[in-house]
């Protein structure tokens, strides 16, 4: 384990005095934060011992886990002592960066490595001698610009600003680490920081309350830029007006938006962040984003942000890398500070100011933009010094609690989950972790990391593995095991495929299933092919069994609900690698960087049936809430018949994966007596099926035990179909 947190915080302790320098008044007389009638507070730490009751196996690793919790409590105590508590500490954006008062503008930046600093921009003709900054004992540079004589701001709204520093690496212009907006001028590569302070009449005012968190999340994973059917970069406004109503109609109750934090390289999918507090200007203004979120709330949709705190862009011109001319400003120095596969910088989570920066960043998006929660990207990379690379996790607990574990990073995750759940009780926290870290979804006071959900990444990998095999090789028990293999009391977000599987170099499930036949045989006025029939049938079945058995929440990447053809390829030019090898680009073409929603809507195409099925599946979950039902029982996983049968709540799911065999009078075990009706049938003609079932038939149970169930009823189960039977009144 990395036990350096205490050492690092002690060595940087003078920066804790920043509270006396720049937060005077923040902890005194701050406005009371209220949810309903109750003040919002971050709960005090618990004893961290309940994890051993939940999972007794953890007792063998008590020394590591107790050390982890002591570190968490020690840092919480230090924040309480030096910063006035986590609530005040997480509002760094109120003092650092640009802040406006009645008298003028104050700009502060933490850059301890700089020898001198000046504020430059359009407002002073980029004159480095006009507005020199002063440095305090803790490495914070500061300048105050009084209002102009007419009372107007010294820096006009929308004008370009940077900080010019003389550093150990030379003189450089940098965008403020706390900048709220940045843009890329036509013909230029680096972005420019923008002083963003619109007049009151231009500021967006939220009109609609944030929805209450639903019991089960049905998440529509989205990317603003590629959300248009046209080959272009789409806008916040168009997404608000065109895509949000579609998401609502399809039956999803949450939208997860990627690539919000500004990133200079569009093809990074938003994961190489350059400006952490700035929403991407490619899609519009901050006010446009607020309007989008407000409209989503009006529709009853939660808005989750795909937030990147696991690494940072390698850019030095418009990112955090080498900000103050040193290698160790926000990041670890040397190899530990570089992610060799992602070509990005890695945060030093043991640094006091890094904690302030990242905690304030999470707070900013919840407070300023009314996001309803986060999907934390790359959490596995954060929690281990090997970043999960070239590492196979077998489930041995020693893999999670050893010297390769970055305790600093895990403690940061505990702190940020503390903050989120303390100040925003309805906010959602999802962690992308492929390792299966125990305690991941246990509350922090009980000794856990504190996430609400783990992203269940193994399921998508399993489907790709199976799609490379023949149908005869599919093992029903293997499918069930993968879908249900999770820790007790741990909630999961499950998906059959996400954006990862859609990227160039990989294939979506639809493309794995139907491949080149999708180009010629998706029109209803042309005969189908066996590959198309198989593909459409399995596309529906895979999604339903994943939602039915996989977890408490479900995710789908936009367009995949109707089997979007081909792949995602961002516009890009040729790229020269450090080795000198040149990777060809695609002539900056947007053709593969869009979503052809028109295909799913076209009544003359077979895509329409898959979209209709996905919509019916979402509305079935809305009606019955089966993903969070306490009652779940798998009664059959028959390898010869290729049949899976399970119960969730008052529903019975019957899957026949056999490629040719249909079964008459097939007995289905169940627990509850009464009459069952077909609630969803993947073979319905509306969904592109063959209508082999009569939906008017009533299915009455008999006291005939079957598959360890006390009762049963008989059904006809056609090949390659999934049917859901609901207990009626």
């Amino acid at each position: 384990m990395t036990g350096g947190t205490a050492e690092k915080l002690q060595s940087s302790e003078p920066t804790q005095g920043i509270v006396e320098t720049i937060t005077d008044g923040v902890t005194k007389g701050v406005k009371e934060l209220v949810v309903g009638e109750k003040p919002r507070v971050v709960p005090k730490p618990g004893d961290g011992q309940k994890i051993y009751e939940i999972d007794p196996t953890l007792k063998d690793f008590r020394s590591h886990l107790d050390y982890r919790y002591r570190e968490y409590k020690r840092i919480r105590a230090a924040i309480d002592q030096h910063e006035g508590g986590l609530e005040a500490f997480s509002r760094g954006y109120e003092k650092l960066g640009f802040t406006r008062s009645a008298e003028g503008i104050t700009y502060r930046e933490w850059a301890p490595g700089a020898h001198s600093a000046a504020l430059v921009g359009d407002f002073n003709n980029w004159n480095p001698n006009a507005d020199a900054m002063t440095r305090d004992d803790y490495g914070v540079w500061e300048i105050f610009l009084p209002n102009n004589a007419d009372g107007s701001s010294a820096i006009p709204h929308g004008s370009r600003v940077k900080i010019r520093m003389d550093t150990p690496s030379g003189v450089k212009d940098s965008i403020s680490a706390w900048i709220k907006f940045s843009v890329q001028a036509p013909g230029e590569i680096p972005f420019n920081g923008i002083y963003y302070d619109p007049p009151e009449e231009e500021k967006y005012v939220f009109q609609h309350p944030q929805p209450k968190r639903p019991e089960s999340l049905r998440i529509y994973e989205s990317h603003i830029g590629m959300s248009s059917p046209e080959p272009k970069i789409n806008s916040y406004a168009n997404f608000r007006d065109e895509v949000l109503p579609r998401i609502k109609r399809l039956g999803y109750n949450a939208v997860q938006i990627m690539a919000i934090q500004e990133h200079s390289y569009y093809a990074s999918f938003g994961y190489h962040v350059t400006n952490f507090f700035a929403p991407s200007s490619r899609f519009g203004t901050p006010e446009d984003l607020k309007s989008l979120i407000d409209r989503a709330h009006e529709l009853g949709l939660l808005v989750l942000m795909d937030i990147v705190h696991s690494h940072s862009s390698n850019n030095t011109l418009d990112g955090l890398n080498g900000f103050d001319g040193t290698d160790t400003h926000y990041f670890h120095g040397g190899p530990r500070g570089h992610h060799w596969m992602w070509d990005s910088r890695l945060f030093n989570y043991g640094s006091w100011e890094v904690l302030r920066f990242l905690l304030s960043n999470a707070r900013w998006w919840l407070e300023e933009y009314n996001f309803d929660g986060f999907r934390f990207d790359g959490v596995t990379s954060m929690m281990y010094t090997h970043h999960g690379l070239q590492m196979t996790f077998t489930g041995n607990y020693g893999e999670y609690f050893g010297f390769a574990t970055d305790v600093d990073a895990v403690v940061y995750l505990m702190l940020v989950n503390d903050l989120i759940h303390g100040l925003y009780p309805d906010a959602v926290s999802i962690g992308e972790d492929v390792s299966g870290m125990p305690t991941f979804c246990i509350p922090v006071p009980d000794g856990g990391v504190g996430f609400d959900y783990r992203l269940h990444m193994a399921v998508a990998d399993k489907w790709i593995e199976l799609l490379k095999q023949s149908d005869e090789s599919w093992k029903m028990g293997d499918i069930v095991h993968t879908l249900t293999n999770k820790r007790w009391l741990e909630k999961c977000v499950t998906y059959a495929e996400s954006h990862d599987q859609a990227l160039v170099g990989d294939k979506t499930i639809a493309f794995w299933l139907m491949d080149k036949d999708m180009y010629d045989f998706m029109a209803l006025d042309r005969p189908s092919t066996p590959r198309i029939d198989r593909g459409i049938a399995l596309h529906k079945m895979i999604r339903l069994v994943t939602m039915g058995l996989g977890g408490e929440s479900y995710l789908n990447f936009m367009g995949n609900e109707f089997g979007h053809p081909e792949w995602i390829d961002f516009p890009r030019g040729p790229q020269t690698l450090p080795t000198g090898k040149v990777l060809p680009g695609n002539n900056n073409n947007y053709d593969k960087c869009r979503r052809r929603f028109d295909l799913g809507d076209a009544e003359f195409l077979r895509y329409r049936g898959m979209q209709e099925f996905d919509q019916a599946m979402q509305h079935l979950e809305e009606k019955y809430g089966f993903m969070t039902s306490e009652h779940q029982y798998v009664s059959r996983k028959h390898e010869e018949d290729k049949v899976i049968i399970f119960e969730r709540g008052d529903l019975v799911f019957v899957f026949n994966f056999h490629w040719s065999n249909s079964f008459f009078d097939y007995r289905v075990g169940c627990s509850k007596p009464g009459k069952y009706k077909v609630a969803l049938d993947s073979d319905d003609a509306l969904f592109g099926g063959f209508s082999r079932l009569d939906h008017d038939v009533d299915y009455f149970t008999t006291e005939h035990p079957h598959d360890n169930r006390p009762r049963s009823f008989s059904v006809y189960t056609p090949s390659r179909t999934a049917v859901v039977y609901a207990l009626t009144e």
Side-chain angles (χ1 to χ4, degrees):
M1 84 186 70
T2 59
T5 309
E7 194 174 301
K8 273 175 275 189
L9 289 186
Q10 287 169 0
S11 65
S12 64
E13 190 166 347
T15 64
Q16 296 175 12
I18 201 170
V19 68
E20 299 161 9
T21 311
I22 68 168
T23 60
D24 184 32
V26 172
T27 57
K28 302 171 192 171
V30 330
K31 63 177 183 179
E32 186 177 53
L33 299 167
V34 174
V35 172
E37 300 299 322
K38 298 179 180 178
R40 295 192 291 189
V41 294
V42 180
K44 295 292 184 184
D47 61 12
Q49 298 298 299
K50 193 173 180 181
I51 52 173
Y52 304 117
E53 299 175 24
I54 295 171
D55 185 354
T57 309
L58 294 171
K59 292 178 181 178
D60 294 337
F61 301 89
R62 184 184 286 273
S63 60
H64 177 105
L65 290 163
D66 285 353
Y67 166 77
R68 183 178 86 180
Y69 205 73
R70 284 197 306 272
E71 283 298 287
Y72 154 75
K73 291 177 72 173
R74 186 183 64 78
I75 295 172
R76 278 290 306 268
I79 291 173
D80 289 345
Q81 178 183 352
H82 297 288
E83 302 282 0
L86 201 54
E87 192 281 319
F89 188 52
S90 61
R91 285 188 281 119
Y93 50 80
E94 292 185 354
K95 290 294 175 178
L96 287 155
F98 292 92
T99 57
R100 180 81 187 274
S101 67
E103 292 75 30
I105 297 170
T106 302
Y107 171 55
R108 299 185 182 98
E109 198 76 55
W110 177 61
H115 305 313
S116 65
L119 179 60
V120 295
D122 294 330
F123 76 99
N124 64 6
N125 294 316
W126 300 89
N127 182 356
N129 300 314
D131 295 291
M133 302 175 71
T134 58
R135 183 190 192 278
D136 68 12
D137 294 338
Y138 312 108
V140 176
W141 296 88
E142 178 176 343
I143 188 171
F144 175 73
L145 301 176
N147 291 334
N148 296 323
D150 62 0
S152 62
S153 172
I155 308 177
H157 162 62
S159 62
R160 296 175 298 169
V161 286
K162 285 191 176 182
I163 179 173
R164 179 164 297 177
M165 292 174 285
D166 181 9
T167 77
S169 302
V171 176
K172 67 189 296 277
D173 289 353
S174 294
I175 298 175
S176 170
W178 301 78
I179 201 73
K180 306 305 190 297
F181 195 49
S182 63
V183 299
Q184 186 179 37
E188 293 185 6
I189 294 177
F191 277 59
N192 285 291
I194 298 295
Y195 177 70
Y196 194 83
D197 184 23
E200 289 299 320
E201 62 271 16
E202 294 181 15
K203 292 181 179 178
Y204 188 82
V205 179
F206 287 95
Q207 304 293 321
H208 304 284
Q210 294 176 251
K212 291 292 183 183
R213 181 167 67 177
E215 286 294 317
S216 56
L217 293 172
R218 300 184 301 278
I219 303 169
Y220 199 79
E221 186 184 31
S222 307
H223 183 284
I224 301 294
M226 58 182 295
S227 63
S228 171
E230 301 173 26
K232 66 176 187 179
I233 295 178
N234 206 11
S235 66
Y236 294 124
N238 184 273
F239 189 93
R240 175 197 65 207
D241 298 337
E242 301 294 332
V243 183
L244 285 179
R246 168 183 295 276
I247 296 169
K248 177 67 175 179
R249 183 178 72 251
L250 287 172
Y252 292 86
N253 58 16
V255 54
Q256 179 179 299
I257 307 180
M258 309 169 63
I260 289 294
Q261 294 164 293
E262 190 59 89
H263 48 291
S264 63
Y265 184 42
Y266 188 44
S268 74
F269 231 137
Y271 290 123
H272 280 212
V273 175
T274 44
N275 310 122
F276 283 76
F277 288 82
S280 181
S281 58
R282 287 184 181 88
F283 318 135
T285 69
E287 310 313 304
D288 293 336
L289 176 57
K290 291 176 183 178
S291 175
L292 182 161
I293 293 170
D294 200 27
R295 173 61 173 148
H297 290 162
E298 181 184 9
L299 293 171
L301 298 170
L302 267 63
V303 186
L304 307 178
M305 176 177 166
D306 196 340
I307 195 168
V308 184
H309 283 181
S310 49
H311 63 135
S312 176
S313 167
N314 213 14
N315 289 17
T316 55
L317 293 177
D318 48 19
L320 292 180
N321 188 22
F323 183 87
D324 69 346
T326 68
D327 189 47
T328 56
H329 186 202
Y330 282 95
F331 311 109
H332 287 291
R336 189 177 174 190
H338 294 263
H339 197 293
W340 62 267
M341 179 175 283
W342 295 346
D343 189 28
S344 56
R345 295 304 311 270
L346 298 173
F347 286 107
N348 177 4
Y349 302 101
S351 163
W352 191 262
E353 293 306 316
V354 170
L355 290 179
R356 186 197 307 275
F357 181 79
L358 294 177
L359 290 169
S360 296
N361 187 243
R363 173 80 176 273
W364 169 253
W365 294 108
L366 296 173
E367 190 83 10
E368 181 70 15
Y369 288 90
N370 280 7
F371 276 99
D372 300 293
F374 300 113
R375 176 253 197 202
F376 281 86
D377 176 69
V379 173
T380 303
S381 175
M382 296 172 68
M383 293 192 298
Y384 309 97
T385 54
H386 53 60
H387 312 302
L389 301 176
Q390 300 175 333
M391 171 71 184
T392 300
F393 289 93
T394 64
N396 184 315
Y397 277 30
E399 297 166 350
Y400 306 111
F401 309 120
F403 290 105
T405 306
D406 188 339
V407 173
D408 294 342
V410 177
V411 168
Y412 164 69
L413 293 170
M414 295 165 73
L415 289 168
V416 76
N417 278 312
D418 248 1
L419 178 78
I420 292 168
H421 295 126
L423 301 185
Y424 310 91
D426 280 335
V428 177
S429 175
I430 303 168
E432 184 200 32
D433 171 41
V434 71
S435 75
M437 164 70 81
T439 75
F440 194 74
C441 291
I442 295 176
V444 175
D446 298 336
V449 184
F451 285 100
D452 294 313
Y453 297 90
R454 183 202 303 277
L455 204 61
H456 199 343
M457 303 170 72
V459 174
D461 294 338
K462 174 57 66 176
W463 287 124
I464 297 302
E465 176 189 321
L466 291 176
L467 290 171
K468 294 177 180 178
Q469 304 172 11
S470 65
D471 292 8
E472 293 89 340
S473 302
W474 289 24
K475 302 296 183 185
M476 301 299 101
D478 191 24
I479 293 172
V480 170
H481 173 75
T482 301
L483 289 169
T484 57
N485 183 26
K486 57 179 184 173
R487 300 190 187 282
W488 185 52
L489 297 181
E490 180 176 271
K491 293 192 292 186
C492 290
V493 175
T494 310
Y495 56 94
E497 55 184 338
S498 69
H499 69 273
D500 286 328
Q501 287 71 38
L503 286 169
V504 62
D506 207 336
K507 287 184 180 182
T508 62
I509 287 177
F511 224 54
W512 274 110
L513 288 166
M514 294 176 278
D515 206 66
K516 62 183 180 180
D517 280 22
M518 296 184 78
Y519 294 116
D520 298 314
F521 300 102
M522 293 302 282
L524 289 171
D525 62 355
R526 301 191 64 177
S528 183
T529 67
R531 178 180 282 175
I532 291 292
D533 290 343
R534 171 183 180 266
I536 290 176
L538 290 179
H539 190 271
K540 294 178 288 186
M541 295 179 70
I542 286 170
R543 281 169 151 63
L544 183 59
V545 75
T546 299
M547 178 183 249
L549 268 185
E552 292 72 22
S553 292
Y554 176 82
L555 178 142
N556 168 67
F557 179 66
M558 62 178 186
N560 286 350
E561 67 275 6
F562 61 82
H564 199 290
E566 300 190 316
W567 52 86
I568 297 167
D569 191 8
F570 281 86
R572 53 192 168 82
Q575 182 182 7
T576 303
L577 300 178
T579 59
K581 181 181 178 181
V582 177
L583 296 179
N586 62 6
N587 295 318
N588 292 305
N589 195 316
Y590 285 85
D591 184 62
K592 299 289 192 295
C593 195
R594 54 177 172 155
R595 293 283 90 179
R596 293 290 305 277
F597 292 122
D598 53 308
L599 298 178
D601 294 341
E603 295 184 358
F604 58 88
L605 295 177
R606 291 185 166 88
Y607 297 105
R608 178 66 178 267
M610 291 188 282
Q611 179 168 286
E612 290 287 346
F613 178 79
D614 192 87
Q615 178 172 318
M617 185 173 77
Q618 306 304 324
H619 285 282
L620 181 77
E621 207 290 323
E622 172 70 23
K623 180 177 180 180
Y624 290 97
F626 58 81
M627 284 197 295
T628 52
S629 169
E630 291 184 5
H631 175 64
Q632 174 177 316
Y633 189 89
V634 180
S635 60
R636 172 160 288 221
K637 37 191 177 181
H638 198 285
E639 300 300 346
E640 184 178 345
D641 293 348
K642 300 298 180 188
V643 169
I644 296 172
I645 300 175
F646 60 87
E647 304 162 30
R648 289 204 78 167
D650 289 338
L651 301 179
V652 178
F653 293 72
V654 179
F655 292 82
N656 180 359
F657 281 96
H658 204 283
W659 50 96
S660 61
N661 288 352
S662 300
F663 302 104
F664 292 90
D665 294 325
Y666 202 81
R667 190 154 291 279
V668 175
C670 63
S671 63
K672 298 182 179 181
K675 181 176 73 173
Y676 286 80
K677 298 279 289 184
V678 172
L680 181 64
D681 172 16
S682 70
D683 200 42
D684 193 310
L686 177 65
F687 309 142
F690 298 99
S691 297
R692 287 171 284 178
L693 281 184
D694 183 352
H695 294 176
D696 293 327
V697 172
D698 296 328
Y699 299 87
F700 292 94
T701 61
T702 63
E703 298 300 310
H704 182 159
H706 188 69
D707 287 342
N708 294 317
R709 311 309 288 147
R711 300 169 185 88
S712 60
F713 57 95
S714 294
V715 302
Y716 169 48
T717 174
S719 61
R720 287 193 181 130
T721 61
V723 183
V724 183
Y725 298 89
L727 184 65
T728 62
E729 290 293 334

